[in-house]
Amino acid sequence: MFLDTYKKEWLLSRFGEAVKFDEPMSMHTSFRVGGPAKVFARPESFDDLLLLVSWIRENKIPYFVLGGGTNLLVKDKGVDAVLISLGDCLKKISIGETGKSRVIVNAGAGVETRSLCSFAIKNSLEGMNFALGIPGTIGGGIVMNAGTAIGSIAHVLHGVSILGQRGEVKTIPAKDIKSGYRGLTFLRGRIDSSVEKIIILAASFSLAPGNHAKIKDEAGMIIARRKKKQPTDLPSAGCFFKNPGPDTSAARIIDQAGLKGLKKGGAMVSPKHANFIININNASAADILALSKDVQDRVENRFNIKLVPEVIIVEE
Ligand SMILES: Cc1cc2nc3c(=O)[nH]c(=O)nc-3n(C[C@H](O)[C@H](O)[C@H](O)COP(=O)(O)OP(=O)(O)OC[C@H]3O[C@@H](n4cnc5c(N)ncnc54)[C@H](O)[C@@H]3O)c2cc1C
């Protein structure tokens, strides 16, 4: 237990309403499940974020940065840590260096991915349409290397700004960033993300000038396709498992194992998309975990393939 009265008072005096105690994470995740965060902070400016993070690091307090909470499963017991949401800060998008064949667009980590997609369409810029329909923020999108069959963040990333251990802002060009399937694995030669907990502040994207009508039409088709294939009207965290290989889709093998519609408590394998676990009736994190374990076991028995969660499980 890291939070004593003195620390609580300090947080309240510095951040007021932007800090909450024992805040249910079901209110801040797309799964709509999750127990309380000991401290939930939504800094309203970069300076507030800096102050909070230096205090946390100085006091060696456990922390976790949250984007839109769309790829997280917080356990029912909650988290004895400071959860920092960037939902209220770092939300600026701007156009940077502009050339004939390339336009750099800068976005804060708190910008919603869909806002960046809309910005690109509005400014007739090609490159972001792959991300249409991916919820969450730019920070989360980078950490997860969010993407679909037609592209991922790594394909358009130009650089990332992160908050260094001493509060300094470091900008890392894309060539020094190694991104893997659904994850940024490490920042080559500069920082090892498994050693230093990275806080992403902003990123720049390399897009290309294009034809407005063509980009808009393509966007319409991508959104329509997603709506047809995914249960976007029910709480979930998107695809629960990673695809086991480039040619093996997790959704396909879960479907082939006959698991669509399988239920545990309030959680169900979506009948529309087999790799979506959906919260149909006040599911608990335990329901979702039990269902995901059942899916893993049945798929392993049938195909000898161990499914690995794409969703990040947040626990004490
Ligand atoms: C309906 C639905 C559809 C989806 N479809 C897709 C899809 O097509 N493709 C896809 O890839 N994903 C998809 N997802 C999953 C999810 O939306 C993406 O992974 C998204 O990019 C996560 O962003 P977020 O801001 O919500 O991150 P969060 O879920 O809040 O966090 C994800 C990870 O990023 C870290 N993080 C977030 N922000 C920062 C920051 N600023 N600095 C450091 N670390 C940070 C968190 O600590 C955590 O480890 C879908 C989810 C839903 C609910």
Side-chain angles (χ1 to χ4, degrees):
M1 218 325 243
F2 65 86
L3 194 68
D4 54 28
T5 315
Y6 175 76
K7 290 194 176 77
K8 206 167 174 173
E9 273 168 14
W10 185 87
L11 283 165
L12 279 171
S13 69
R14 295 300 164 109
F15 302 104
E17 300 261 293
V19 70
K20 293 198 160 56
F21 304 97
D22 297 314
E23 174 79 349
M25 291 313 294
S26 51
M27 290 169 66
H28 302 284
T29 57
S30 58
F31 246 141
R32 299 277 166 250
V33 305
K38 186 58 67 193
V39 178
F40 181 72
R42 291 175 75 101
E44 284 162 6
S45 65
F46 174 65
D47 288 346
D48 281 0
L49 173 68
L50 207 59
L51 178 68
L52 179 65
V53 173
S54 351
W55 177 81
I56 283 172
R57 286 175 173 170
E58 226 171 81
N59 288 281
K60 299 195 172 18
I61 291 169
Y63 69 97
F64 185 88
V65 182
L66 193 84
T70 66
N71 202 51
L72 305 178
L73 177 59
V74 180
K75 285 200 173 173
D76 300 315
K77 207 171 162 209
V79 202
D80 197 15
V82 179
L83 265 65
I84 308 170
S85 161
L86 298 185
D88 286 341
C89 65
L90 311 178
K91 293 187 87 82
K92 208 172 141 205
I93 308 180
S94 63
I95 291 191
E97 183 199 311
T98 302
K100 260 197 171 152
S101 59
R102 189 179 81 160
V103 175
I104 303 297
V105 176
N106 308 303
V111 165
E112 287 186 51
T113 302
R114 66 169 178 186
S115 305
L116 182 60
C117 293
S118 305
F119 182 91
I121 296 171
K122 203 169 144 209
N123 289 280
S124 306
L125 295 171
E126 270 176 19
M128 280 311 298
N129 271 357
F130 77 88
L132 281 160
I134 303 181
T137 62
I138 291 302
I142 289 169
V143 170
M144 297 308 304
N145 188 18
T148 61
I150 57 168
S152 76
I153 290 282
H155 292 127
V156 283
L157 197 61
H158 180 65
V160 174
S161 298
I162 63 166
L163 190 60
Q165 284 297 308
R166 285 167 298 282
E168 76 284 17
V169 178
K170 298 184 194 178
T171 300
I172 298 161
K175 68 175 173 53
D176 289 343
I177 299 173
K178 186 167 182 290
S179 299
Y181 168 56
R182 296 297 163 268
L184 175 150
T185 47
F186 66 94
L187 304 176
R188 199 181 296 138
R190 307 276 186 107
I191 275 170
D192 182 342
S193 61
S194 62
V195 176
E196 184 176 326
K197 201 176 223 175
I198 287 171
I199 298 181
I200 294 172
L201 299 174
S204 55
F205 298 90
S206 181
L207 306 181
N211 176 287
H212 183 71
K214 190 173 153 252
I215 300 169
K216 216 174 155 194
D217 285 355
E218 184 192 58
M221 280 187 305
I222 290 171
I223 288 175
R225 202 164 52 226
R226 282 183 75 101
K227 274 199 177 142
K228 213 167 135 192
K229 285 189 173 170
Q230 297 184 353
T232 45
D233 50 337
L234 287 161
S236 77
C239 286
F240 197 92
F241 298 104
K242 292 183 180 179
N243 289 328
D247 301 319
T248 318
S249 135
R252 201 176 60 237
I253 55 175
I254 298 170
D255 191 6
Q256 282 169 358
L259 304 181
K260 276 184 172 172
L262 186 71
K263 280 188 204 162
K264 285 262 187 259
M268 178 166 85
V269 174
S270 165
K272 201 169 177 183
H273 189 307
N275 198 13
F276 273 56
I277 291 184
I278 46 178
N279 176 357
I280 50 165
N281 187 15
N282 294 319
S284 61
D287 292 341
I288 293 169
L289 286 168
L291 181 58
S292 68
K293 172 85 174 58
D294 200 1
V295 170
Q296 276 174 319
D297 290 347
R298 289 177 192 234
V299 165
E300 193 170 9
N301 284 341
R302 172 95 188 257
F303 300 107
N304 200 22
I305 293 174
K306 181 97 190 155
L307 289 173
V308 175
E310 175 177 322
V311 168
I312 292 167
I313 319 257
V314 187
E315 53 193 320
E316 230 179 322

